[in-house]
Amino acid sequence: MKKFISTVKNIFSIEDLRVRILNTIGFLIIFRLGSFIVLPGVDPSKLGGTPEGIFGLIDTFLGGAFSNASIFGLGIMPYISASIVLQLLTVGVPYFQKMQKEGESGRKRINQITRVLTIAITVAQGIGYVTATILPTGAVMVSTSLFMFSSLVLLSAGTMFCMWLGEKITEKGIGNGISMLIMIGIISRFPGALIAEGLEKGSSGMLLLIIEAVVLFFVVVGVIALTEATRRIPVQYAKQVVGGKVYGGQRQYIPIKVNASGVMPIIFAQSLMFVPALIAQIWAGESDIANYIGTTFSDFTSWQYNLLFASLIIIFTFFYTAITVNPEQIAEDMKRNGGFVPGIKPGAPTSEFIDSIISKITLPGSVLLAAVAILPALAIIAGVGGEFAQFYGGTSLLIMVGVIMDTLRQIESYLLMRHYEGMMKSGNMKNNPSNYQVA
């Protein structure tokens, strides 16, 4: 406890860090307040409850703004969709590849294209959001055409404002602005889920609630281990004499993450898991097989659903790792900087060596990621409430752990820069990227 109090005092004694933390808190409060401002013309009392499926996942990311028909009802999700599209284009389209290699000017142009694409996606998603989730509830008290027009304008403005908040958190806060907005939306649901779980269990089920909390603690520890686990490839840099001074000659490491793809495979797999049930609805009532598929894949606790879900996650993990981690580029940069892996020739042999390591660690990483993704379903089967079970795994827990660890690293770097002791007893957080030089 004494160590914790001392660390907090050190954090707030650094003016720049203190201002950034307070700025971040202020921006997050604005974001949360916006999620309760309902679109004009909507009667909140007639809105449905918490949605399920992909809509439920989006509502979790947005902290309830989606189900509240808020002006932040789409939040930052269209921007994330646009960013994923641009990321895939920079891998497969030469025009965007060239733009990405143009340095700062290229990144600015990509950001501009991302913003324009965000507006287009917001309008498209806004139409679906209004027609599929708000109009059917009968909560709209004005004409449909007027409500549609005003809602699209406000939803687009809300998304752009969320983008601005994210950029301000990155610029004037402690970083990771977009991720921070998603994380605060997820965390905002935790107290309510915990209270609902406690009320459901009652006084007679307090021991069971404590057991669930202990299990959740160990699940979080396991996810932290998966998120932070790296395979360090040793790199030796040759000595160089520049202006009478000797540079290099020391050994560094390239940290290759076991889970290099993050939460993206789960998001991709989740978006495809609605296809079987959707197709089955076309032949519903006409075929026993269609009825079986529709019933089975509408229940995310069924073993068939989870087996397919886990398989898709493993496949997408290999796919996303392949397009985001480029062994040839790593080997080329290493060779250009005078570095080499001991015992491996520079160039193509180094690229093949790195590729083989990535392939070896991606398999266990993908299996563990799939296990984390299906944990909420297993928790529900074990008797945990649906709301509380969401925090036992899946994208929610992975995003929370990833963002919190990155935020702690940011604070750690400020403390070490000012010659304060770090947040951990060792004086430095494990796997801090600043500890390694990535060629």
Side-chain angles (χ1 to χ4, degrees), residues 223-245:
V223 172
I224 291 174
L226 174 62
T227 303
E228 297 298 297
T230 58
R231 167 68 159 85
R232 301 197 307 172
I233 301 176
V235 179
Q236 184 71 37
Y237 286 91
K239 292 182 179 180
Q240 297 179 355
V241 179
V242 180
K245 294 183 179 181

PDB file of all heavy atoms in Angstrom, residues 223-245:
ATOM      1  N   VAL A 223      -5.129 -13.591 -19.552  1.00  0.00           N
ATOM      2  CA  VAL A 223      -5.217 -12.722 -20.726  1.00  0.00           C
ATOM      3  C   VAL A 223      -4.043 -11.742 -20.765  1.00  0.00           C
ATOM      4  O   VAL A 223      -3.506 -11.440 -21.836  1.00  0.00           O
ATOM      5  CB  VAL A 223      -6.569 -11.976 -20.731  1.00  0.00           C
ATOM      6  CG1 VAL A 223      -6.599 -10.922 -21.842  1.00  0.00           C
ATOM      7  CG2 VAL A 223      -7.709 -12.958 -20.939  1.00  0.00           C
ATOM      8  N   ILE A 224      -3.639 -11.247 -19.593  1.00  0.00           N
ATOM      9  CA  ILE A 224      -2.461 -10.367 -19.540  1.00  0.00           C
ATOM     10  C   ILE A 224      -1.233 -11.112 -20.042  1.00  0.00           C
ATOM     11  O   ILE A 224      -0.434 -10.574 -20.817  1.00  0.00           O
ATOM     12  CB  ILE A 224      -2.230  -9.852 -18.104  1.00  0.00           C
ATOM     13  CG1 ILE A 224      -3.345  -8.888 -17.696  1.00  0.00           C
ATOM     14  CG2 ILE A 224      -0.874  -9.155 -17.980  1.00  0.00           C
ATOM     15  CD1 ILE A 224      -3.269  -8.447 -16.251  1.00  0.00           C
ATOM     16  N   ALA A 225      -1.076 -12.369 -19.607  1.00  0.00           N
ATOM     17  CA  ALA A 225       0.057 -13.173 -20.064  1.00  0.00           C
ATOM     18  C   ALA A 225       0.017 -13.371 -21.577  1.00  0.00           C
ATOM     19  O   ALA A 225       1.044 -13.273 -22.254  1.00  0.00           O
ATOM     20  CB  ALA A 225       0.057 -14.526 -19.347  1.00  0.00           C
ATOM     21  N   LEU A 226      -1.181 -13.647 -22.118  1.00  0.00           N
ATOM     22  CA  LEU A 226      -1.315 -13.828 -23.570  1.00  0.00           C
ATOM     23  C   LEU A 226      -1.008 -12.531 -24.312  1.00  0.00           C
ATOM     24  O   LEU A 226      -0.333 -12.544 -25.353  1.00  0.00           O
ATOM     25  CB  LEU A 226      -2.734 -14.300 -23.900  1.00  0.00           C
ATOM     26  CG  LEU A 226      -3.102 -14.402 -25.383  1.00  0.00           C
ATOM     27  CD1 LEU A 226      -2.220 -15.413 -26.085  1.00  0.00           C
ATOM     28  CD2 LEU A 226      -4.571 -14.764 -25.549  1.00  0.00           C
ATOM     29  N   THR A 227      -1.485 -11.406 -23.787  1.00  0.00           N
ATOM     30  CA  THR A 227      -1.282 -10.118 -24.447  1.00  0.00           C
ATOM     31  C   THR A 227       0.182  -9.697 -24.433  1.00  0.00           C
ATOM     32  O   THR A 227       0.689  -9.142 -25.406  1.00  0.00           O
ATOM     33  CB  THR A 227      -2.133  -9.028 -23.754  1.00  0.00           C
ATOM     34  OG1 THR A 227      -3.505  -9.428 -23.773  1.00  0.00           O
ATOM     35  CG2 THR A 227      -1.994  -7.694 -24.470  1.00  0.00           C
ATOM     36  N   GLU A 228       0.871  -9.974 -23.331  1.00  0.00           N
ATOM     37  CA  GLU A 228       2.250  -9.498 -23.166  1.00  0.00           C
ATOM     38  C   GLU A 228       3.313 -10.493 -23.625  1.00  0.00           C
ATOM     39  O   GLU A 228       4.484 -10.122 -23.737  1.00  0.00           O
ATOM     40  CB  GLU A 228       2.491  -9.162 -21.687  1.00  0.00           C
ATOM     41  CG  GLU A 228       1.610  -8.042 -21.163  1.00  0.00           C
ATOM     42  CD  GLU A 228       1.864  -6.744 -21.884  1.00  0.00           C
ATOM     43  OE1 GLU A 228       2.983  -6.214 -21.792  1.00  0.00           O
ATOM     44  OE2 GLU A 228       0.945  -6.264 -22.566  1.00  0.00           O
ATOM     45  N   ALA A 229       2.924 -11.742 -23.867  1.00  0.00           N
ATOM     46  CA  ALA A 229       3.910 -12.769 -24.222  1.00  0.00           C
ATOM     47  C   ALA A 229       4.593 -12.444 -25.543  1.00  0.00           C
ATOM     48  O   ALA A 229       3.938 -12.114 -26.532  1.00  0.00           O
ATOM     49  CB  ALA A 229       3.231 -14.135 -24.312  1.00  0.00           C
ATOM     50  N   THR A 230       5.919 -12.512 -25.540  1.00  0.00           N
ATOM     51  CA  THR A 230       6.691 -12.240 -26.752  1.00  0.00           C
ATOM     52  C   THR A 230       7.797 -13.271 -26.919  1.00  0.00           C
ATOM     53  O   THR A 230       8.257 -13.872 -25.945  1.00  0.00           O
ATOM     54  CB  THR A 230       7.351 -10.847 -26.719  1.00  0.00           C
ATOM     55  OG1 THR A 230       8.188 -10.754 -25.568  1.00  0.00           O
ATOM     56  CG2 THR A 230       6.325  -9.739 -26.679  1.00  0.00           C
ATOM     57  N   ARG A 231       8.196 -13.459 -28.151  1.00  0.00           N
ATOM     58  CA  ARG A 231       9.376 -14.282 -28.475  1.00  0.00           C
ATOM     59  C   ARG A 231      10.451 -13.309 -28.923  1.00  0.00           C
ATOM     60  O   ARG A 231      10.303 -12.645 -29.955  1.00  0.00           O
ATOM     61  CB  ARG A 231       9.026 -15.280 -29.580  1.00  0.00           C
ATOM     62  CG  ARG A 231      10.213 -15.981 -30.217  1.00  0.00           C
ATOM     63  CD  ARG A 231      10.914 -16.923 -29.263  1.00  0.00           C
ATOM     64  NE  ARG A 231      11.681 -17.916 -29.984  1.00  0.00           N
ATOM     65  CZ  ARG A 231      12.930 -17.742 -30.435  1.00  0.00           C
ATOM     66  NH1 ARG A 231      13.536 -16.571 -30.234  1.00  0.00           N
ATOM     67  NH2 ARG A 231      13.554 -18.706 -31.065  1.00  0.00           N
ATOM     68  N   ARG A 232      11.500 -13.186 -28.146  1.00  0.00           N
ATOM     69  CA  ARG A 232      12.551 -12.219 -28.447  1.00  0.00           C
ATOM     70  C   ARG A 232      13.614 -12.847 -29.353  1.00  0.00           C
ATOM     71  O   ARG A 232      14.243 -13.844 -29.001  1.00  0.00           O
ATOM     72  CB  ARG A 232      13.194 -11.704 -27.164  1.00  0.00           C
ATOM     73  CG  ARG A 232      12.209 -11.038 -26.224  1.00  0.00           C
ATOM     74  CD  ARG A 232      12.893 -10.179 -25.190  1.00  0.00           C
ATOM     75  NE  ARG A 232      13.927 -10.898 -24.463  1.00  0.00           N
ATOM     76  CZ  ARG A 232      14.777 -10.319 -23.616  1.00  0.00           C
ATOM     77  NH1 ARG A 232      14.722  -9.029 -23.409  1.00  0.00           N
ATOM     78  NH2 ARG A 232      15.680 -11.038 -22.978  1.00  0.00           N
ATOM     79  N   ILE A 233      13.790 -12.241 -30.521  1.00  0.00           N
ATOM     80  CA  ILE A 233      14.813 -12.695 -31.463  1.00  0.00           C
ATOM     81  C   ILE A 233      16.065 -11.840 -31.267  1.00  0.00           C
ATOM     82  O   ILE A 233      16.004 -10.617 -31.417  1.00  0.00           O
ATOM     83  CB  ILE A 233      14.321 -12.572 -32.919  1.00  0.00           C
ATOM     84  CG1 ILE A 233      13.056 -13.411 -33.116  1.00  0.00           C
ATOM     85  CG2 ILE A 233      15.406 -13.001 -33.894  1.00  0.00           C
ATOM     86  CD1 ILE A 233      12.450 -13.271 -34.503  1.00  0.00           C
ATOM     87  N   PRO A 234      17.201 -12.453 -30.911  1.00  0.00           N
ATOM     88  CA  PRO A 234      18.420 -11.659 -30.681  1.00  0.00           C
ATOM     89  C   PRO A 234      18.962 -11.085 -31.982  1.00  0.00           C
ATOM     90  O   PRO A 234      18.957 -11.747 -33.025  1.00  0.00           O
ATOM     91  CB  PRO A 234      19.393 -12.681 -30.081  1.00  0.00           C
ATOM     92  CG  PRO A 234      18.910 -14.012 -30.570  1.00  0.00           C
ATOM     93  CD  PRO A 234      17.417 -13.885 -30.694  1.00  0.00           C
ATOM     94  N   VAL A 235      19.390  -9.839 -31.932  1.00  0.00           N
ATOM     95  CA  VAL A 235      19.968  -9.162 -33.094  1.00  0.00           C
ATOM     96  C   VAL A 235      21.298  -8.535 -32.671  1.00  0.00           C
ATOM     97  O   VAL A 235      21.346  -7.784 -31.693  1.00  0.00           O
ATOM     98  CB  VAL A 235      19.032  -8.063 -33.642  1.00  0.00           C
ATOM     99  CG1 VAL A 235      19.668  -7.359 -34.831  1.00  0.00           C
ATOM    100  CG2 VAL A 235      17.691  -8.652 -34.025  1.00  0.00           C
ATOM    101  N   GLN A 236      22.341  -8.860 -33.397  1.00  0.00           N
ATOM    102  CA  GLN A 236      23.666  -8.298 -33.123  1.00  0.00           C
ATOM    103  C   GLN A 236      23.956  -7.206 -34.147  1.00  0.00           C
ATOM    104  O   GLN A 236      23.797  -7.420 -35.352  1.00  0.00           O
ATOM    105  CB  GLN A 236      24.747  -9.390 -33.213  1.00  0.00           C
ATOM    106  CG  GLN A 236      26.141  -8.929 -32.840  1.00  0.00           C
ATOM    107  CD  GLN A 236      26.275  -8.676 -31.346  1.00  0.00           C
ATOM    108  OE1 GLN A 236      25.702  -9.392 -30.537  1.00  0.00           O
ATOM    109  NE2 GLN A 236      27.025  -7.652 -30.984  1.00  0.00           N
ATOM    110  N   TYR A 237      24.366  -6.030 -33.667  1.00  0.00           N
ATOM    111  CA  TYR A 237      24.694  -4.920 -34.561  1.00  0.00           C
ATOM    112  C   TYR A 237      26.200  -4.767 -34.664  1.00  0.00           C
ATOM    113  O   TYR A 237      26.908  -4.780 -33.650  1.00  0.00           O
ATOM    114  CB  TYR A 237      24.055  -3.624 -34.062  1.00  0.00           C
ATOM    115  CG  TYR A 237      22.567  -3.581 -34.295  1.00  0.00           C
ATOM    116  CD1 TYR A 237      21.687  -4.055 -33.319  1.00  0.00           C
ATOM    117  CD2 TYR A 237      22.037  -3.111 -35.487  1.00  0.00           C
ATOM    118  CE1 TYR A 237      20.317  -4.040 -33.534  1.00  0.00           C
ATOM    119  CE2 TYR A 237      20.671  -3.093 -35.707  1.00  0.00           C
ATOM    120  CZ  TYR A 237      19.826  -3.562 -34.726  1.00  0.00           C
ATOM    121  OH  TYR A 237      18.465  -3.559 -34.946  1.00  0.00           O
ATOM    122  N   ALA A 238      26.657  -4.652 -35.901  1.00  0.00           N
ATOM    123  CA  ALA A 238      28.097  -4.525 -36.137  1.00  0.00           C
ATOM    124  C   ALA A 238      28.591  -3.159 -35.660  1.00  0.00           C
ATOM    125  O   ALA A 238      27.854  -2.177 -35.664  1.00  0.00           O
ATOM    126  CB  ALA A 238      28.395  -4.691 -37.629  1.00  0.00           C
ATOM    127  N   LYS A 239      29.861  -3.109 -35.262  1.00  0.00           N
ATOM    128  CA  LYS A 239      30.447  -1.843 -34.818  1.00  0.00           C
ATOM    129  C   LYS A 239      30.714  -0.941 -36.017  1.00  0.00           C
ATOM    130  O   LYS A 239      31.179  -1.395 -37.072  1.00  0.00           O
ATOM    131  CB  LYS A 239      31.758  -2.103 -34.080  1.00  0.00           C
ATOM    132  CG  LYS A 239      31.576  -2.816 -32.743  1.00  0.00           C
ATOM    133  CD  LYS A 239      32.913  -2.993 -32.033  1.00  0.00           C
ATOM    134  CE  LYS A 239      32.716  -3.682 -30.680  1.00  0.00           C
ATOM    135  NZ  LYS A 239      33.992  -3.873 -29.971  1.00  0.00           N
ATOM    136  N   GLN A 240      30.415   0.335 -35.851  1.00  0.00           N
ATOM    137  CA  GLN A 240      30.646   1.320 -36.897  1.00  0.00           C
ATOM    138  C   GLN A 240      31.401   2.500 -36.310  1.00  0.00           C
ATOM    139  O   GLN A 240      31.075   2.970 -35.218  1.00  0.00           O
ATOM    140  CB  GLN A 240      29.323   1.798 -37.496  1.00  0.00           C
ATOM    141  CG  GLN A 240      28.527   0.699 -38.193  1.00  0.00           C
ATOM    142  CD  GLN A 240      27.214   1.215 -38.736  1.00  0.00           C
ATOM    143  OE1 GLN A 240      26.846   2.361 -38.522  1.00  0.00           O
ATOM    144  NE2 GLN A 240      26.496   0.374 -39.469  1.00  0.00           N
ATOM    145  N   VAL A 241      32.421   2.959 -37.035  1.00  0.00           N
ATOM    146  CA  VAL A 241      33.204   4.109 -36.594  1.00  0.00           C
ATOM    147  C   VAL A 241      32.742   5.326 -37.384  1.00  0.00           C
ATOM    148  O   VAL A 241      32.891   5.389 -38.606  1.00  0.00           O
ATOM    149  CB  VAL A 241      34.717   3.883 -36.793  1.00  0.00           C
ATOM    150  CG1 VAL A 241      35.501   5.117 -36.339  1.00  0.00           C
ATOM    151  CG2 VAL A 241      35.176   2.643 -36.047  1.00  0.00           C
ATOM    152  N   VAL A 242      32.146   6.314 -36.676  1.00  0.00           N
ATOM    153  CA  VAL A 242      31.654   7.533 -37.309  1.00  0.00           C
ATOM    154  C   VAL A 242      32.242   8.721 -36.570  1.00  0.00           C
ATOM    155  O   VAL A 242      31.957   8.946 -35.394  1.00  0.00           O
ATOM    156  CB  VAL A 242      30.096   7.592 -37.269  1.00  0.00           C
ATOM    157  CG1 VAL A 242      29.615   8.880 -37.939  1.00  0.00           C
ATOM    158  CG2 VAL A 242      29.490   6.372 -37.939  1.00  0.00           C
ATOM    159  N   GLY A 243      33.083   9.495 -37.290  1.00  0.00           N
ATOM    160  CA  GLY A 243      33.677  10.694 -36.674  1.00  0.00           C
ATOM    161  C   GLY A 243      34.554  10.385 -35.485  1.00  0.00           C
ATOM    162  O   GLY A 243      34.596  11.150 -34.522  1.00  0.00           O
ATOM    163  N   GLY A 244      35.251   9.268 -35.545  1.00  0.00           N
ATOM    164  CA  GLY A 244      36.136   8.915 -34.440  1.00  0.00           C
ATOM    165  C   GLY A 244      35.446   8.242 -33.276  1.00  0.00           C
ATOM    166  O   GLY A 244      36.085   7.898 -32.278  1.00  0.00           O
ATOM    167  N   LYS A 245      34.100   8.054 -33.373  1.00  0.00           N
ATOM    168  CA  LYS A 245      33.343   7.389 -32.304  1.00  0.00           C
ATOM    169  C   LYS A 245      32.842   6.037 -32.796  1.00  0.00           C
ATOM    170  O   LYS A 245      32.501   5.874 -33.959  1.00  0.00           O
ATOM    171  CB  LYS A 245      32.175   8.252 -31.849  1.00  0.00           C
ATOM    172  CG  LYS A 245      32.586   9.553 -31.167  1.00  0.00           C
ATOM    173  CD  LYS A 245      31.364  10.309 -30.673  1.00  0.00           C
ATOM    174  CE  LYS A 245      31.784  11.597 -29.960  1.00  0.00           C
ATOM    175  NZ  LYS A 245      30.603  12.342 -29.454  1.00  0.00           N
TER     176      LYS A 245
END
